[in-house]
Amino acid sequence: MTPQPTAATGTAVETVVETVFRLESPRVIAGVARIVRDVGIAEELAQDALVAALEQWPRDGVPENPGAWLMATAKHRAIDLVRRRERYARKLAEVGRDLEAAGPSLDQPSDPDDIDDDLLRLVFTACHPVLSAEARIALTLRLLGGLTTTEIARAFLAPEPTIAQRVVRAKRTLATKGVAFEVPYGPDREARLDSVLEVIYLIFNEGYAATAGDDWLRPALCEDALRLARVLAQLMPEEPEVHGLAALLEFQASRAAARTGPTGEPVLLKDQNRRRWNRLLIARGVTALGRASATATGAPGPYALQAAIAACHAQAYTYEETDWPRIATLYALLAARSPSPVVELNRAVAVSMADGPAPALRIVDDLATEPALRDYHLLPSVRGDLLERLGRTEEARAEFARAAGLARNERERELLLRRAAGSVGRAAGSVGRVAEPGRGVGTGRGGGA
């Protein structure tokens, strides 16, 4: 134990408690959920451990292994809870036998492999397909991201009571549906893994190009999603699509600093200062993409393909050096592997850069009646860009105006209105907006600049 803190250090200790809890809470919840088999109760017990830490650490000092302390405290309370409830008597006997067989005392740090297994169970439970996509995202950010209800509500521009109810209903649904706290295997695992990856993907994309509001980027969401992807890659090293997603997010995150100007305005791909791209993250992306390829037993999956597209951008030192023919080919493979209107729109942009705007315009016009793109602002935005490049200026301006009317993000709307007024040149057009690897795999949303 550290020396007895003074009143002045009490606040500092509280900060330590909060920091440690944010880092350790997913593992604590996962470890406790293995005992109580209910993520809602597990979260409550983890919160109880947090309260105990806030009471005891300022008085007794910060323990040498604060994470293990939180885990042991929460597990003791879980055991007490099980013992108090008569209806859990049978489960108590099973848990008691399991704990005895596991060997180490609750007072000792748990086996890291066991913790990782528990964390993996928590990931698959929070992302269970029985929940809606919105519920999965909220629950994942709460349990695995350590975000508070207020933080999640702020991130998604939703009322706090709405998010609170969403989280409560999600936990109740898991309990009433009898969702097992386990990692599925075989076909079930493959089906559930898709859901896990999609949730992380959606969280990142909402941070990378916000759907609505005044801010173009929400970096904290990108950081949470990237951290979750890295954790998942460690937990599931033999899954190529996990590495593919991790690679994609590393590449995308590498450009974050260059994607906005001094006032938060979007800076599109062609105009970005590539010296501000994070080369360390690019290197991590290359490594993760290599692992995706090394672990694959067949054709690359959608995340690995998107990561390969992102790699083309990341490894071009100038916009002019971008290998557009390869990007167009990769988008064609992606469209064949996971067809969607948004992927096709992205492919059109890549084709426009490789072969010119005329063939791309034919692809875009074929999408005009696609119901999924009816209110999608990037369809008229891309069409406007192609028309402008073909010299059909007035038609282009009309398309930019239509796109501005559909955009829900203020920063995008401002840019599109400037294009409609003819005050922004082609260099700042839609090409960079959607030609990067996008959100076309099952989400119906497009990529970001």
Side-chain angles (χ1 to χ4, degrees):
M1 295 287 184
T2 58
Q4 187 81 1
T6 65
T9 62
T11 301
V13 173
E14 289 177 4
T15 301
V16 170
V17 174
E18 292 171 0
T19 301
V20 170
F21 185 76
R22 183 151 187 157
L23 292 173
E24 298 292 336
S25 63
R27 293 175 184 273
V28 174
I29 293 169
V32 174
R34 183 159 59 92
I35 297 174
V36 298
R37 303 285 171 177
D38 185 307
V39 293
I41 294 174
E43 189 189 9
E44 291 174 6
L45 292 170
Q47 292 285 343
D48 286 348
L50 169 64
V51 173
L54 288 169
E55 292 173 350
Q56 295 180 34
W57 294 5
R59 182 190 65 220
D60 302 333
V62 178
E64 292 182 1
N65 190 335
W69 189 98
L70 286 170
M71 179 71 81
T73 301
K75 281 189 171 181
H76 278 305
R77 295 183 181 221
I79 296 297
D80 288 343
L81 175 67
V82 172
R83 285 172 175 158
R84 284 199 305 270
R85 295 185 176 183
E86 185 176 352
R87 61 192 174 91
Y88 286 151
R90 182 177 300 172
K91 184 177 292 184
L92 176 62
E94 295 172 359
V95 168
R97 286 194 295 273
D98 289 347
L99 291 176
E100 287 178 3
S105 163
L106 288 175
D107 294 327
Q108 300 299 321
S110 302
D111 185 326
D113 290 337
D114 286 346
I115 293 175
D116 286 349
D117 287 346
D118 290 342
L119 197 57
L120 195 57
R121 292 187 187 96
L122 185 61
V123 171
F124 275 89
T125 303
C127 297
H128 195 283
V130 73
L131 303 176
S132 68
E134 292 81 6
R136 276 181 267 154
I137 290 171
L139 194 60
T140 301
L141 286 175
R142 177 66 173 267
L143 299 182
L144 293 157
L147 272 65
T148 65
T149 301
T150 302
E151 290 170 326
I152 300 171
R154 188 187 308 136
F156 286 93
L157 304 177
E160 193 171 330
T162 300
I163 295 297
Q165 291 172 8
R166 192 173 292 167
V167 171
V168 169
R169 282 199 297 267
K171 290 187 286 190
R172 187 184 303 143
T173 299
L174 292 177
T176 56
K177 296 288 186 182
V179 173
F181 185 68
E182 64 182 13
V183 178
Y185 291 92
D188 289 344
R189 179 168 177 164
E190 185 176 346
R192 293 268 294 277
L193 179 59
D194 286 348
S195 175
V196 171
L197 298 180
E198 183 186 21
V199 166
I200 297 174
Y201 188 67
L202 288 171
I203 293 171
F204 183 90
N205 282 335
E206 187 57 32
Y208 196 65
T211 306
D214 297 330
D215 297 324
W216 173 246
L217 289 178
R218 298 197 180 111
L221 282 179
C222 291
E223 291 168 6
D224 283 328
L226 184 55
R227 182 173 61 81
L228 291 174
R230 289 172 178 167
V231 169
L232 198 61
Q234 290 179 341
L235 295 173
M236 307 181 73
E238 301 303 319
E239 294 288 348
E241 276 293 83
V242 172
H243 294 300
L245 177 64
L248 173 61
L249 302 197
E250 299 279 8
F251 285 131
Q252 298 292 76
S254 73
R255 294 193 288 272
R259 294 184 68 246
T260 54
T263 62
E265 75 277 14
V267 178
L268 300 181
L269 182 62
K270 182 178 175 64
D271 305 313
Q272 288 173 14
N273 180 353
R274 299 187 179 217
R275 286 176 296 183
R276 298 187 67 195
W277 289 5
N278 188 320
R279 293 293 159 187
L280 174 60
L281 294 183
I282 291 174
R284 291 181 64 101
V286 170
T287 300
L289 188 56
R291 288 175 181 152
S293 177
T295 53
T297 56
Y303 294 112
L305 284 170
Q306 291 182 83
I309 294 168
C312 290
H313 290 292
Q315 294 173 325
Y317 283 92
T318 66
Y319 185 76
E320 290 71 23
E321 292 177 15
T322 306
D323 189 347
W324 289 105
R326 174 168 169 73
I327 291 174
T329 299
L330 289 168
Y331 266 120
L333 293 173
L334 181 61
R337 177 70 171 78
S338 297
S340 86
V342 174
V343 170
E344 194 65 3
L345 185 62
N346 279 273
R347 187 176 75 83
V349 174
V351 168
S352 82
M353 298 303 295
D355 302 325
L361 185 60
R362 289 193 289 274
I363 298 173
V364 171
D365 284 346
D366 286 342
L367 294 169
T369 57
E370 174 58 53
L373 300 182
R374 185 180 56 190
D375 298 322
Y376 189 46
H377 67 288
L378 289 180
L379 178 63
S381 176
V382 170
R383 192 166 189 275
D385 189 81
L386 298 175
L387 289 169
E388 186 175 67
R389 292 168 62 190
L390 289 167
R392 296 160 62 177
T393 307
E394 290 306 314
E395 292 175 83
R397 290 181 177 179
E399 290 288 47
F400 289 134
R402 188 161 74 92
L406 294 172
R408 294 167 57 196
N409 184 285
E410 286 303 319
R411 296 294 188 174
E412 280 195 294
R413 195 197 317 274
E414 292 169 2
L415 176 62
L416 290 164
L417 286 174
R418 291 202 302 275
R419 295 215 71 190
S423 60
V424 179
R426 175 153 54 92
S430 303
V431 167
R433 176 72 178 87
V434 296
E436 292 187 54
R439 310 164 191 174
V441 184
T443 66
R445 295 188 60 193

